Amino acid sequence: MRIFDPHIHMTSRTTDDYQAMYDAGVRALVEPSFWLGQPRTSPASFFDYFDALLGWEPFRAAQYGIAHHCTLALNPKEANDPRCTPVLDALPRYLVKDSVVAVGEIGYDSMTPAEDTALAAQLQLAADHGLPALVHTPHRDKLAGLHRTLDVIRESHLPPELVLLDHLNETTVKDATDSGCWAGFSIYPDTKMDEDRMIAILKSHGTEKVLVNSAADWGRSDPLKTRKVGDAMLAAGFGEDDVDQVLWRNPVAFYGQSGRLQLDTVAPQPLHEGNSILRGGE
C-alpha cells in the first residue's frame, strides 16, 4: 500500500514518526504551514518557520525515504492579528520555491472580516502563481463556514478544480463536492472524522476527488491514520485500486497541478546547514 499524506504537520512530530510512517507505506507528504499553538508576534517568526518547511523538514523526511512538499500561507487564526498580516506582502517570494505545491492553509477560523480579507488575498496569490489552494474549513459552524468559503472562492480568479476544501465531514461533504472543489477529510483519534465515518462517506459519495489525511500536529493525533483508513477500506470491501486512488493517486493529481511534485526520493544529504538528525554522531 503506497500512501501520500496530503496534510500533516511534521514540524510537530518526531523522527520516530517518520520511521513509523515509512514502515506503514507513506512515501510522500505535504506539510501545510499552520498555527503553532502559541501566537506569533512578528512576521519574522513566520519566515523562520517557512524556511524550516523548505529546508529542515525535507532533510528530515529524506532520511526516511519520504518525499516532502509544503504549502505556505498566513493561517486563518493569525490573520486576525495585525502584527502578523504583513506576511501577506512577503508571501510572493516564498511561493516561487520549488517544493511549494499550494497556498495554504487558508480559510476561516472565526469567520471575521480580517479572515475574509486574508482568504481573498491568498486565493488571488494562488491564481497569480498558478498554484492550487488548500482551504481550512472552520471547526465551528462548519456548514455556515463552508458556504462563506465557497462564496469567496466563486468571487476569486481561482477555478474550483484548484481548490481543496479540507476538514470536511458529513454535514459539509455534499455542498463541497457539488462545488467542483476537491474534498479533504482529516482522520483524528477523538475529533473531526474517524475511520468508520470515512468509510461511510466513501460508500455514499465515491472515491473521486477525495483526499484523506492525518493532519497530525502538536495535539492528540495519529500520523498513521491514513494507513488505518486504507486497512478499513479493504476490510469494508473496497478494492486495492480504490485504496490506491484515495491514498495516492488523488493527492498526486491535486498537488500535481502545481507542476512541482517530485515523488522520486533522492539520497539524503548527511547534513543540513551543518546539523544532522543524529545526536553525538560524526
Side-chain angles (χ1 to χ4, degrees):
M1 187 183 299
R2 56 179 182 172
I3 299 171
F4 185 144
D5 192 329
H7 183 154
I8 184 169
H9 301 289
M10 295 309 297
T11 292
S12 307
R13 312 305 302 190
T14 67
T15 51
D16 290 348
D17 289 324
Y18 271 122
Q19 183 65 65
M21 290 162 62
Y22 182 87
D23 292 343
V26 176
R27 294 297 181 269
L29 63 85
V30 167
E31 178 164 3
S33 58
F34 80 135
W35 182 56
L36 293 177
Q38 175 172 309
R40 282 173 278 214
T41 59
S42 74
S45 58
F46 281 84
F47 304 150
D48 287 341
Y49 173 48
F50 292 168
D51 288 342
L53 296 185
L54 293 165
W56 176 243
E57 284 306 323
F59 169 78
R60 281 213 305 160
Q63 311 305 307
Y64 296 92
I66 297 175
H68 182 288
H69 300 81
C70 68
T71 77
L72 301 181
L74 173 64
N75 68 81
K77 189 174 183 69
E78 290 175 300
N80 294 294
D81 190 334
R83 297 174 298 179
C84 300
T85 52
V87 170
L88 294 171
D89 297 326
L91 272 173
R93 68 185 173 96
Y94 284 97
L95 296 180
V96 298
K97 302 295 185 180
D98 288 343
S99 60
V100 178
V101 293
V103 177
E105 295 179 60
I106 59 177
Y108 285 112
D109 178 57
S110 300
M111 290 183 279
T112 65
E115 292 171 23
D116 288 332
T117 299
L119 174 56
Q122 292 181 102
L123 288 171
Q124 186 60 53
L125 284 174
D128 292 344
H129 288 79
L131 289 173
L134 171 61
V135 178
H136 167 108
T137 58
H139 301 306
R140 303 176 298 277
D141 298 324
K142 289 195 76 70
L143 189 57
L146 175 67
H147 290 163
R148 188 160 170 177
T149 300
L150 291 174
D151 286 343
V152 179
I153 291 169
R154 293 185 189 105
E155 293 169 0
S156 77
H157 292 98
L158 196 66
E161 61 267 22
L162 286 175
V163 177
L164 170 58
L165 297 168
D166 214 345
H167 308 317
L168 299 177
N169 63 14
E170 295 89 344
T171 66
T172 53
V173 59
K174 184 180 186 304
D175 288 351
T177 54
D178 287 349
S179 74
C181 298
W182 294 69
F185 298 87
S186 301
I187 314 302
Y188 262 46
D190 297 320
T191 60
K192 300 180 183 176
M193 295 287 294
D194 62 24
E195 294 93 323
D196 291 339
R197 291 166 62 196
M198 190 67 238
I199 295 302
I201 284 179
L202 290 170
K203 286 182 176 179
S204 61
H205 291 273
T207 58
E208 293 290 332
K209 297 180 75 172
V210 171
L211 282 73
V212 170
N213 64 72
S214 70
D217 58 11
W218 37 257
R220 178 162 159 72
S221 51
D222 182 353
L224 303 184
K225 280 294 188 182
T226 48
R227 174 61 193 240
K228 292 173 182 177
V229 168
D231 290 339
M233 288 179 67
L234 294 174
F238 286 93
E240 292 183 0
D241 187 69
D242 297 319
V243 174
D244 191 68
Q245 180 179 17
V246 171
L247 295 185
W248 185 266
R249 300 199 309 271
N250 284 350
V252 168
F254 176 72
Y255 287 115
Q257 295 177 105
S258 69
R260 297 176 179 174
L261 274 185
Q262 298 291 334
L263 297 175
D264 295 327
T265 55
V266 297
Q269 297 298 311
L271 298 174
H272 175 73
E273 296 187 355
N275 190 29
S276 78
I277 62 170
L278 303 175
R279 289 293 176 263
E282 293 292 331

